[in-house]
Every structure is written in structure tokens, then in C-alpha cells.
Amino acid sequence: MTKNTSLEHIRNIGIMAHIDAGKTTTSERILFYTGKSHKIGEVHDGNATMDWMEQEQERGITITSAATTTIWRNHMINLIDTPGHVDFTVEVERSLRILDGTIALFCAVGGVEPQSENVWRQAEKYNVPSIVFINKMDRAGADFFKVLDAIKDDLKAEAVPLVIPIGAGDQFEGIIDLVEDCAVYYDEKDSGASYHEEAIPEEWQDTYKEWKQYLLERVSETNEELLEKFCADEKIEANELRTAIREATHLRHIFPVLCGSAFKNKGVQRLLDSVVYYLPSPIDIPPVKGILPDGEEAERTPKDSDKMSALAFKVVADKHMGKLTYVRVYSGTLESGSYIYNSTKDKKQRVGRIVRMHANRQEIVEQLYCGDIGAVIGLSDTVTGDTLCSEEHPIVLEAIDFPEPVLSMAIILKNRIEQEKTMKALHKLAEEDPTFTVRLDHETNETIISGMGELHLEILLDRMKREFGLDVQAGAPQVAYRETIRREVKHEEKYVKQTGGKGQYAHIIFKIEPHEEEFEFENKVVQGRIPREYIPSVEKGAKDAMLKGSYAGFQVVNVKFTLIDGSYHDVDSSEMAFRTCASIALKEALRKAKPEILEPIMDVSVVTPEQYAGSITSHVCSKRGQIVEMGTQGSAQLIKAKVPLANLFGYTSELRNATQGRASFSMVFDKYDSVPQNIAEEIIEKQREKEKK
């Protein structure tokens, strides 16, 4: 299939949105209309193709990004359906890193919700062009124009409608296509697969003219030829308009907006047309950049004949096929049975079988060409973010940034045999998910797992039970606190140790100060007062000390370490001596630098019936929450607040009980902030008690 598909006819796209905006339902319709599936799977029935995990089918949510390949208008579409829940933000992050375009889905009732704002920012970070689909136009309270305004105001995006709805809620009949200048009505008897176009009804003429004029104005601003025609009041043909929309979309100057109801099978075909017309192919985006072994920056051209380069963006442990490594090929061709070079790990590896994914089903292929997305079996040493390339032409592509875990819990292991099995399973899961970490606390001898939230850890523990047959007991959740400093301190440390033979000697003078970045090391030693080969050891020693602060035992962040002076001994100095000296010294300096504890603060949004708004506001404030905004969302009240994560454990149940199950909430990590002194003392006391056990 790929051989017959030229690069300009490939679309690598993802669907991103807030939870429950209808991403998976839209994906199911896309698969149905493109002929990839012959039956529409429904999320509420637990049989959606793209939600293949047992946990997804039980909960009715997407947990892992599912990939599939389908065809529309002779274009190959590699589609990734991403989760909307903030706990699984890693799936959105790694998908956006390798995609060329996205469909940003918004609920016509909910509008711009917290996680939809979060994923929009992620797409901005990777400069990914997007088209907008306002879904659920059939729902009571649906308001296309209100959502359009929210996208412009809240996301500061130039949202330009290509269609407008004919009615809303029960009265939603179809759409008016502003590019083709016609009304489109869908036949619900055959799942909306057939539709017909008519002249725009008389009662919609004024609305049509207003928004057609708006479309022409916005697009003309980005295209000189169109602007001349527009100013001269000349007719602009649909093909000319489409070309200009396409160019402006690729540059993120505009974001084309469509609408419909995926569940009622309305508007999805127009959405697919827009994917083909307006989202970029691999040759429409700038060539991928990377670093050569000599440190020089280089590019790889999207051509099958160019040097092979690919990025591993996801790892999955498949119970039938073993380890699957998902890759995006940026240049050249990746062939089954060939040897490739993992330039990130400096390791040569053999490519086993190559498969195209259709959710959790595989289709074996011989090769992946430039622009393709697929999975490779046999890359045992490759993890998420690694670059794969030809050994003769090594390059390291930009890796993927992942957020730090904010929640931890201890797990209880019954016996030694169980412990070995459990650790093996945990490390497999951690290899799949970079936001899930596992470590052993040597002082308490506990195994600590960390993730993005309660649901994230709950799902992973559930997977351990189902996939690995391990019934693991988990302790209470623990917040991932951090330590930092509030003042500058200068410190001098001499490390001298005599043990009969060769001794240990290191002497450093340095200062530490508060810093915006997590850690920065600067060397200001002159005239060889400390030999150059010992400087990296000082940095390593400082980093060792920052793993566990001297104030409360949490990781230290936001510190700049400046090495000023020192001395060494010709015989007794060593790299280990300087590393040990720096570690001891920094621990001492941190105590003097006015240390404080930081805690994760979450952006919380509660949607509730109006009668509960007052009590919910009071409840949020009692959790040390700060109300930042109150407004309406459809017929409900929207309360936005910043609340410490430590006070949000079990909040879903509390909210359900307080509102008879009628309110919902979502949260997104915002920042780390200072803990009040009285709370800090409680945290320190708990840490001391824990260490005594």
C-alpha cells in the first residue's frame, strides 16, 4: 500500500481533546466511512475499535493512544486517537512530537475545557497545524458560535469557520459549507454514510453571507493573490480558496473550524475532506533536525532515498508479539531484517518484523517508508525518545520532553519470589510509560511507584493484576514534594581522609543561589586551581546531594551551583574525592540557604448545577484552594481554582456525594509552589516518623 502512496498523499494526524469530547466516537466514524471497519463501535457499549484495552472498555475512557492506518480520497491517513484525561498526558505529548497535524475536538456544550486547553498548548509547543471540529451539535445547550468565541478568546487562536451549523440540539439538521457554497443534509437511516447537497435555504442566506465574508477576509489577509481579488470584488473559486486555506493552516496563521455530531453521523465526511485538503503531508513540514556526532546541527530530507532516520515514540509490551517499538520514519526506508543504529544508546540493533497497527491488531509489512508510522519487533534496547538511523550516517533527533510525576505510593511485596516478579513487571511498565517511575527507598526498604495521578497509578496496578498475574497491595498516595532554597550562600569545604596508604583530598569553594531552572552548574575556577578533569566530579557530587535534601529529604530543585575556587593534592586528590566533597558540602550549604518545601499545585475545574456552586466554592477554599474564576458552561456553573494536590485525594467521591453525582471535576498540573510553614512542619514530622520505622 505504501509503495503506491506518494509522500504528498500521506497524512499523519492525531485527535486531541478534553475527556468526553467524543474523540474515540469520531475515530470510529472515520474508520467506518473510510471502509477500515464495517461496523461502528461505540464507547458506551465497550466495543470501540480504538479503545481496545479492558480498562478502557470498562471505564469508557481512552487510556493509551491507539494508532491505525486508513484511506480517504486516495490519501493514506495514519491516525492516532489520544486520551483526554490529564493522567495520561504522556500519550498526547509523544503523539504530538511525531505528528504532522491534528484534529482538535471541542464539545459544542462544554467548549474550551481545561484539558483541551492543555493539549492545545502541547500542539503549540511542537508547532503542529490543527483543524477544529466542534462536536456534539445535537446535544441540548450546543452553541457553535459561543465555542468559536471561546477558542479565539481562551486559546488566542484565529479560528475560521469553513462550515456553520443548520440549527443546534434537537434542531441540528446539517451544515452550510462556506467553501462549496451549499447546504449539506445527512441521511440518518444509513448511519449518515449518504448525504445530499442543496441550495442554501432562504432563511439562512444572511448568516451564510456574513460568515462567507468573514472567511474571505481572514484568508485573504494571509495570501496576496487572494487579497487583490477580494479587494477588487472578483469571484474567488473554491479551489483557490482551498489552496490559500491550506497554506495558512500549515503556518498556523488560521485554524479551520468544522462542526457536526460524530455520534449522529453528521459532518464527519467533511472533516475527512478537510484532513486531506488542509493538513500537511510529510513534505509540507520543515525537515527534521538533529545533532551529528561532531555536535553540528543537521537536517534529514523527507525522501525515501535519503539517509534513514526514525524516532521511537512509544514502547508497548505485547503479550503475543513481545516488545513493540512504535516509530515514525522521517527519512529513508526502514527494512525488516536489516541492522540499524540506535544513536541515542550507541548500539547496533537488528530489526525483526515490522507491523502496521490497527489499534491492537497488526498487519506485517516488509518495510516502512519515509513518512510512515509503524511498529518494530526486536529492538530490545530501544526506549521512547531514541533515534534510529543508519550506522554510516549517525544523527540524534530531538527527544521528547515528559512532565515529572506528581504522585507517589509505596507498594507492599509479600515475599522474595513475588518481589522479583513484581520488579520485572514494574520495569516493563516503566519502559512503556516515561511518566511512570519505580525506585527503591533504601532507608525504608519500600518500593515507590510514581505517576501523574490517582487514576494513572490505579490503571497501572490493575494492569499488573491482569497482564502479569500479580495482586499488588498499594499504600496511601504520597505527594511528590520538592525542596528549594530562598537565599544565596557561599560555602567552603575540605575533604581530607588518611587511611594508611593513599589518602583522599579535595577542597572546594562555591556559592549556591535560587534559580529558575531545575539545576545549573557553572565553573569559575581559574589558573588550574582545581584540575579540569575533577570539575565534572564536583557537578556529579552536587547532583548526588540534590536527590535527597537535608531539610525534609525530598529532591532539591531550582538551584544554581557556582564553583569559585579550591585546591588539590598531587597524590591524594581523585575524581571520587571531589565528588564526595561536593556532595557533603552541598548538603551543608543547603541547610544554611533558607530551605523550604514546594508542593504541586493543580488547576482544578468543577462543573456543577447552580444550586451546589456555593457549597463547592466553600469546600474548595477549605482545601487551601484559591478560586480564580467563576462562570457558566452551558446551563451549569464553572468554578476554576488552584488547589494543592495533597488535598485532592478522593475528591471525586467527595464531589459525587455532595452533589448527588451531578458535578464533575478535572485537574491539570500547574506549578510547584511554597508550602505554608505550619504545613511544612507537619510534612517534616511525617518524614521523620517514616524514617524511624
Side-chain angles (χ1 to χ4, degrees):
M1 180 169 65
T2 317
K3 273 188 176 178
N4 301 325
T5 308
S6 58
L7 271 171
E8 60 266 30
H9 287 142
I10 292 176
R11 300 289 181 271
N12 291 316
I13 66 162
I15 302 182
M16 60 179 196
H18 185 86
I19 192 169
D20 205 30
K23 293 179 304 304
T24 302
T25 302
T26 304
S27 297
E28 292 300 317
R29 269 49 180 187
I30 287 173
L31 295 180
F32 179 72
Y33 294 134
T34 58
K36 189 71 180 182
S37 59
H38 302 291
K39 177 179 177 291
I40 295 176
E42 300 293 6
V43 174
H44 57 267
D45 291 336
N47 61 6
T49 306
M50 302 295 268
D51 281 354
W52 57 269
M53 289 176 69
E54 289 176 26
Q55 293 91 338
E56 293 176 316
Q57 291 165 358
E58 289 170 0
R59 290 170 168 82
I61 61 169
T62 302
I63 292 167
T64 182
S65 55
T68 192
T69 301
T70 191
I71 300 288
W72 182 257
R73 293 192 184 278
N74 294 319
H75 285 65
M76 185 172 77
I77 299 173
N78 292 314
L79 173 70
I80 295 181
D81 172 26
T82 64
H85 198 289
V86 66
D87 280 21
F88 309 106
T89 189
V90 60
E91 296 290 343
V92 183
E93 188 79 24
R94 59 178 159 202
S95 298
L96 285 170
R97 169 65 180 82
I98 55 93
L99 291 172
D100 301 330
T102 70
I103 298 169
L105 217 65
F106 295 87
C107 172
V109 180
V112 178
E113 296 172 279
Q115 183 62 0
S116 52
E117 192 169 344
N118 200 37
V119 294
W120 188 273
R121 300 293 172 229
Q122 286 174 296
E124 267 185 339
K125 171 182 169 183
Y126 291 111
N127 208 29
V128 180
S130 301
I131 56 178
V132 172
F133 186 67
I134 297 176
N135 191 28
K136 302 192 178 184
M137 282 302 305
D138 59 309
R139 289 269 299 272
D143 191 330
F144 174 84
F145 300 104
K146 187 177 179 182
V147 177
L148 190 66
D149 288 340
I151 293 168
K152 292 176 185 177
D153 296 341
D154 297 349
L155 303 179
K156 305 293 182 284
E158 188 62 78
V160 180
L162 305 189
V163 305
I164 53 172
I166 300 174
D170 291 341
Q171 306 301 311
F172 179 56
E173 297 177 37
I175 57 174
I176 293 171
D177 189 322
L178 301 174
V179 178
E180 299 287 347
D181 302 322
C182 64
V184 185
Y185 297 93
Y186 295 85
D187 187 351
E188 291 187 33
K189 290 176 185 174
D190 64 349
S191 303
S194 62
Y195 57 88
H196 63 279
E197 298 174 359
E198 294 181 9
I200 297 163
E202 188 60 40
E203 65 269 26
W204 286 94
Q205 281 291 333
D206 289 345
T207 308
Y208 154 70
K209 286 172 184 173
E210 177 192 342
W211 286 101
K212 177 74 175 189
Q213 182 76 2
Y214 182 83
L215 170 62
L216 293 172
E217 282 175 7
R218 294 285 82 80
V219 178
S220 297
E221 287 171 2
T222 68
N223 186 290
E224 286 185 19
E225 288 179 25
L226 229 61
L227 185 60
E228 284 179 21
K229 277 195 156 189
F230 180 72
C231 292
D233 207 21
E234 292 179 31
K235 181 173 173 59
I236 295 170
E237 300 294 337
N239 281 341
E240 293 177 282
L241 186 54
R242 272 199 289 266
T243 301
I245 293 169
R246 179 177 173 79
E247 290 169 358
T249 303
H250 292 184
L251 296 169
R252 289 178 59 91
H253 289 165
I254 68 166
F255 298 90
V257 180
L258 298 105
C259 71
S261 164
F263 184 59
K264 292 287 179 71
N265 309 296
K266 295 178 180 177
V268 179
Q269 292 98 326
R270 242 46 180 198
L271 174 63
L272 276 164
D273 287 345
S274 295
V275 167
V276 167
Y277 291 147
Y278 308 122
L279 288 180
S281 72
I283 58 173
D284 293 320
I285 59 170
V288 68
K289 292 181 178 177
I291 303 296
L292 298 177
D294 61 5
E296 288 290 311
E297 193 176 84
E299 292 181 346
R300 287 288 184 263
T301 311
K303 287 182 183 174
D304 291 339
S305 57
D306 199 23
K307 310 170 190 82
M308 202 285 286
S309 67
L311 187 75
F313 68 94
K314 181 173 176 171
V315 172
V316 174
D318 186 278
K319 57 186 172 185
H320 302 298
M321 304 191 83
K323 181 178 172 181
L324 284 172
T325 306
Y326 284 69
V327 298
R328 157 73 191 264
V329 180
Y330 282 99
S331 60
T333 305
L334 183 64
E335 295 186 5
S336 176
S338 65
Y339 282 91
I340 54 164
Y341 178 58
N342 182 329
S343 54
T344 310
K345 295 277 195 310
D346 188 22
K347 283 192 174 180
K348 192 174 178 180
Q349 292 186 282
R350 186 177 181 276
V351 176
R353 282 180 291 174
I354 298 176
V355 293
R356 283 193 186 285
M357 300 303 297
H358 181 49
N360 65 329
R361 301 200 304 277
Q362 300 96 9
E363 170 201 347
I364 295 174
V365 295
E366 287 305 308
Q367 50 215 152
L368 292 175
Y369 293 87
C370 178
D372 281 353
I373 292 173
V376 180
I377 301 162
L379 303 180
S380 56
D381 294 319
T382 299
V383 297
T384 300
D386 283 359
T387 299
L388 304 173
C389 58
S390 61
E391 196 170 13
E392 298 77 29
H393 305 286
I395 189 170
V396 177
L397 304 178
E398 183 189 347
I400 309 171
D401 290 328
F402 294 112
E404 287 287 317
V406 295
L407 191 71
S408 302
M409 61 172 65
I411 59 171
I412 301 144
L413 307 175
K414 294 171 186 171
N415 53 55
R416 189 176 176 79
I417 297 169
E418 196 85 336
Q419 187 172 1
E420 286 176 10
K421 283 185 185 173
T422 304
M423 291 309 291
K424 199 176 275 187
L426 287 171
H427 285 299
K428 273 191 177 179
L429 293 172
E431 192 178 50
E432 286 187 24
D433 184 351
T435 60
F436 174 62
T437 62
V438 183
R439 67 180 174 85
L440 181 67
D441 188 322
H442 292 287
E443 292 190 6
T444 62
N445 210 27
E446 288 179 322
T447 299
I448 308 294
I449 60 172
S450 305
M452 299 307 295
E454 285 182 276
L455 180 61
H456 186 200
L457 295 178
E458 181 190 323
I459 294 289
L460 287 163
L461 290 172
D462 190 38
R463 284 187 63 192
M464 288 188 71
K465 187 174 182 179
R466 296 188 196 210
E467 294 173 30
F468 299 96
L470 294 162
D471 195 3
V472 177
Q473 300 289 310
Q478 302 162 1
V479 177
Y481 291 107
R482 299 282 186 264
E483 291 181 31
T484 192
I485 57 172
R486 281 288 166 255
R487 72 176 174 208
E488 183 181 309
V489 164
K490 190 174 179 182
H491 186 80
E492 180 174 4
E493 186 78 30
K494 263 189 185 174
Y495 176 65
V496 183
K497 200 170 184 183
Q498 292 299 330
T499 54
K502 185 184 173 184
Q504 295 284 324
Y505 179 90
H507 172 217
I508 59 172
I509 300 170
F510 64 95
K511 71 171 181 179
I512 55 171
E513 59 192 306
H515 193 49
E516 285 185 7
E517 294 176 22
E518 192 164 299
F519 178 70
E520 184 183 343
F521 178 86
E522 186 177 1
N523 175 30
K524 285 192 174 179
V525 175
V526 294
Q527 298 173 344
R529 301 271 298 168
I530 299 175
R532 199 171 5 174
E533 63 265 27
Y534 296 146
I535 302 299
S537 298
V538 176
E539 184 176 357
K540 283 176 187 171
K543 286 179 176 176
D544 291 343
M546 288 180 67
L547 291 172
K548 187 172 183 182
S550 49
Y551 183 47
F554 301 115
Q555 183 184 333
V556 182
V557 293
N558 305 123
V559 172
K560 182 177 180 182
F561 183 109
T562 306
L563 185 60
I564 301 166
D565 201 0
S567 64
Y568 71 104
H569 188 277
D570 286 334
V571 177
D572 292 347
S573 288
S574 65
E575 289 180 3
M576 185 51 72
F578 273 95
R579 183 169 181 169
T580 306
C581 179
S583 182
I584 293 167
L586 183 56
K587 283 179 180 174
E588 189 59 40
L590 289 170
R591 289 191 188 95
K592 303 174 189 172
K594 203 177 177 186
E596 68 172 7
I597 299 173
L598 303 175
E599 64 180 342
I601 305 294
M602 312 302 284
D603 263 331
V604 173
S605 294
V606 182
V607 178
T608 175
E610 193 171 352
Q611 66 261 40
Y612 301 113
S615 61
I616 286 173
T617 304
S618 303
H619 196 211
V620 167
C621 292
S622 73
K623 292 181 173 292
R624 291 196 289 128
Q626 181 186 351
I627 306 294
V628 293
E629 187 184 330
M630 293 187 72
T632 58
Q633 186 169 298
S635 59
Q637 287 284 305
L638 173 67
I639 301 163
K640 291 189 176 184
K642 295 193 184 294
V643 188
L645 175 63
N647 294 340
L648 288 170
F649 297 140
Y651 188 54
T652 303
S653 301
E654 291 176 30
L655 192 64
R656 198 179 290 133
N657 294 337
T659 62
Q660 299 177 335
R662 296 175 64 194
S664 63
F665 99 107
S666 60
M667 63 179 181
V668 178
F669 172 72
D670 178 42
K671 61 180 179 180
Y672 270 93
D673 206 355
S674 305
V675 174
Q677 189 57 39
N678 61 320
I679 306 287
E681 287 168 6
E682 288 176 23
I683 293 167
I684 292 168
E685 188 57 41
K686 281 180 186 172
Q687 279 292 98
R688 284 176 184 154
E689 285 174 15
K690 186 178 163 188
E691 286 172 8
K692 283 176 189 172
K693 288 178 182 177

Coordinates of all heavy atoms in Angstrom, one line a residue, residues 599-630:
E599 N 5.2 22.2 46.9 CA 4.2 21.2 46.6 C 3.6 21.4 45.3 O 3.5 22.6 44.8 CB 3.1 21.2 47.7 CG 2.3 22.5 47.7 CD 1.3 22.5 48.8 OE1 0.9 21.4 49.3 OE2 0.8 23.6 49.2
P600 N 3.1 20.4 44.6 CA 2.4 20.5 43.3 C 1.0 21.2 43.5 O 0.2 20.8 44.3 CB 2.3 19.1 42.8 CG 2.5 18.2 43.9 CD 3.2 18.9 45.0
I601 N 0.8 22.2 42.7 CA -0.5 22.9 42.7 C -1.2 22.6 41.4 O -0.6 22.6 40.3 CB -0.3 24.5 42.8 CG1 0.5 24.8 44.0 CG2 -1.7 25.2 42.8 CD1 -0.1 24.5 45.3
M602 N -2.5 22.2 41.5 CA -3.3 21.8 40.3 C -4.3 22.8 39.9 O -4.8 23.5 40.8 CB -4.0 20.5 40.7 CG -3.2 19.4 41.3 SD -1.7 18.9 40.4 CE -2.5 17.9 39.1
D603 N -4.4 23.0 38.6 CA -5.5 23.8 38.1 C -6.8 22.9 38.1 O -6.8 21.9 37.4 CB -5.2 24.2 36.6 CG -4.7 25.6 36.5 OD1 -5.0 26.4 37.4 OD2 -3.9 25.8 35.6
V604 N -7.8 23.3 38.9 CA -9.0 22.5 39.1 C -10.1 23.2 38.5 O -10.3 24.4 38.6 CB -9.2 22.2 40.6 CG1 -10.6 21.5 40.8 CG2 -8.1 21.4 41.2
S605 N -11.0 22.4 37.7 CA -12.2 23.0 37.1 C -13.3 22.1 37.6 O -13.3 20.9 37.3 CB -12.1 23.0 35.6 OG -11.1 23.9 35.2
V606 N -14.4 22.7 38.2 CA -15.5 21.9 38.6 C -16.7 22.5 37.8 O -17.0 23.7 37.8 CB -15.8 22.1 40.1 CG1 -17.0 21.3 40.6 CG2 -14.6 21.7 41.0
V607 N -17.5 21.5 37.2 CA -18.7 21.9 36.5 C -19.9 21.3 37.4 O -19.9 20.1 37.6 CB -18.7 21.3 35.1 CG1 -20.1 21.6 34.4 CG2 -17.6 21.8 34.3
T608 N -20.8 22.2 37.8 CA -21.8 21.8 38.8 C -23.1 22.5 38.5 O -23.1 23.6 38.0 CB -21.3 22.1 40.2 OG1 -22.4 21.8 41.1 CG2 -21.0 23.6 40.4
P609 N -24.3 21.8 38.8 CA -25.5 22.6 38.8 C -25.5 23.8 39.7 O -24.8 23.7 40.8 CB -26.5 21.5 39.3 CG -25.9 20.2 39.0 CD -24.4 20.4 39.1
E610 N -26.2 24.8 39.4 CA -26.0 26.1 40.1 C -26.3 26.0 41.6 O -25.6 26.6 42.4 CB -27.0 27.1 39.5 CG -26.7 28.5 39.9 CD -27.5 29.6 39.2 OE1 -28.2 29.2 38.2 OE2 -27.5 30.7 39.5
Q611 N -27.3 25.1 42.0 CA -27.6 25.0 43.4 C -26.5 24.6 44.3 O -26.5 24.8 45.5 CB -28.9 24.2 43.6 CG -28.7 22.7 43.3 CD -29.2 22.3 42.0 OE1 -29.1 23.1 41.0 NE2 -29.9 21.2 41.9
Y612 N -25.5 23.9 43.7 CA -24.3 23.4 44.5 C -23.1 24.3 44.5 O -22.1 24.1 45.2 CB -23.9 22.0 44.1 CG -25.0 21.0 44.1 CD1 -25.6 20.5 42.9 CD2 -25.5 20.5 45.3 CE1 -26.6 19.5 43.0 CE2 -26.6 19.6 45.4 CZ -27.1 19.1 44.2 OH -28.1 18.1 44.2
A613 N -23.2 25.4 43.7 CA -22.0 26.2 43.5 C -21.4 26.8 44.7 O -20.2 26.8 45.0 CB -22.3 27.3 42.4
G614 N -22.3 27.3 45.6 CA -21.9 28.0 46.8 C -21.1 27.0 47.8 O -20.0 27.3 48.3
S615 N -21.7 25.8 48.0 CA -21.1 24.8 48.9 C -19.8 24.3 48.3 O -18.8 24.0 49.0 CB -22.0 23.7 49.2 OG -22.4 23.0 48.0
I616 N -19.7 24.1 47.0 CA -18.5 23.7 46.3 C -17.4 24.7 46.5 O -16.2 24.4 46.8 CB -18.7 23.3 44.8 CG1 -19.5 22.0 44.8 CG2 -17.4 23.2 44.1 CD1 -20.0 21.6 43.4
T617 N -17.7 26.0 46.3 CA -16.7 27.0 46.5 C -16.1 27.0 47.9 O -14.9 27.1 48.1 CB -17.4 28.4 46.2 OG1 -17.9 28.4 44.9 CG2 -16.4 29.5 46.2
S618 N -17.0 26.9 48.9 CA -16.5 26.8 50.3 C -15.7 25.6 50.5 O -14.6 25.7 51.2 CB -17.7 26.8 51.2 OG -18.6 27.9 51.0
H619 N -16.1 24.5 49.9 CA -15.3 23.2 50.1 C -13.9 23.4 49.5 O -12.9 22.9 50.0 CB -16.1 22.1 49.4 CG -15.7 20.8 49.8 ND1 -15.7 19.7 49.0 CD2 -15.1 20.3 51.0 CE1 -15.3 18.6 49.6 NE2 -14.9 19.0 50.8
V620 N -13.9 24.0 48.3 CA -12.6 24.2 47.6 C -11.7 25.0 48.5 O -10.5 24.8 48.6 CB -12.8 24.8 46.2 CG1 -11.4 25.3 45.6 CG2 -13.4 23.7 45.2
C621 N -12.2 26.1 49.0 CA -11.4 27.0 49.9 C -10.9 26.3 51.1 O -9.8 26.6 51.6 CB -12.3 28.2 50.3 SG -12.6 29.3 48.9
S622 N -11.7 25.4 51.7 CA -11.3 24.6 52.8 C -10.1 23.7 52.6 O -9.5 23.2 53.5 CB -12.5 23.8 53.4 OG -12.8 22.7 52.6
K623 N -9.9 23.4 51.3 CA -8.8 22.6 50.9 C -7.6 23.4 50.5 O -6.7 23.0 49.7 CB -9.2 21.7 49.7 CG -10.2 20.7 50.0 CD -10.6 19.8 48.8 CE -11.5 18.7 49.3 NZ -10.8 17.7 50.1
R624 N -7.5 24.6 51.0 CA -6.4 25.6 50.7 C -6.4 26.0 49.2 O -5.4 26.3 48.6 CB -5.0 25.0 51.1 CG -4.8 24.8 52.5 CD -3.3 24.7 52.8 NE -2.8 23.4 52.4 CZ -1.7 23.2 51.7 NH1 -1.0 24.3 51.2 NH2 -1.3 22.0 51.3
G625 N -7.6 25.9 48.6 CA -7.8 26.2 47.2 C -8.0 27.7 47.1 O -8.5 28.4 48.0
Q626 N -7.6 28.3 45.9 CA -7.8 29.7 45.6 C -8.7 29.8 44.4 O -8.3 29.3 43.3 CB -6.4 30.3 45.4 CG -6.5 31.8 45.0 CD -5.1 32.3 44.6 OE1 -4.1 31.6 44.8 NE2 -5.1 33.5 44.1
I627 N -9.8 30.3 44.5 CA -10.8 30.5 43.4 C -10.2 31.5 42.4 O -9.9 32.6 42.8 CB -12.2 30.9 43.8 CG1 -12.7 29.9 44.9 CG2 -13.1 31.0 42.6 CD1 -13.0 28.5 44.4
V628 N -10.1 31.2 41.2 CA -9.5 32.1 40.2 C -10.5 32.6 39.2 O -10.4 33.7 38.6 CB -8.3 31.5 39.4 CG1 -7.1 31.3 40.4 CG2 -8.6 30.2 38.7
E629 N -11.6 31.8 39.0 CA -12.6 32.3 38.0 C -13.9 31.5 38.3 O -14.0 30.4 38.7 CB -12.1 31.9 36.6 CG -13.0 32.5 35.5 CD -12.5 32.0 34.1 OE1 -11.3 31.8 33.9 OE2 -13.4 31.8 33.2
M630 N -15.1 32.2 38.1 CA -16.4 31.6 38.2 C -17.2 32.0 36.9 O -17.1 33.2 36.6 CB -17.1 32.0 39.5 CG -16.5 31.4 40.7 SD -17.4 31.6 42.2 CE -18.8 30.5 42.0

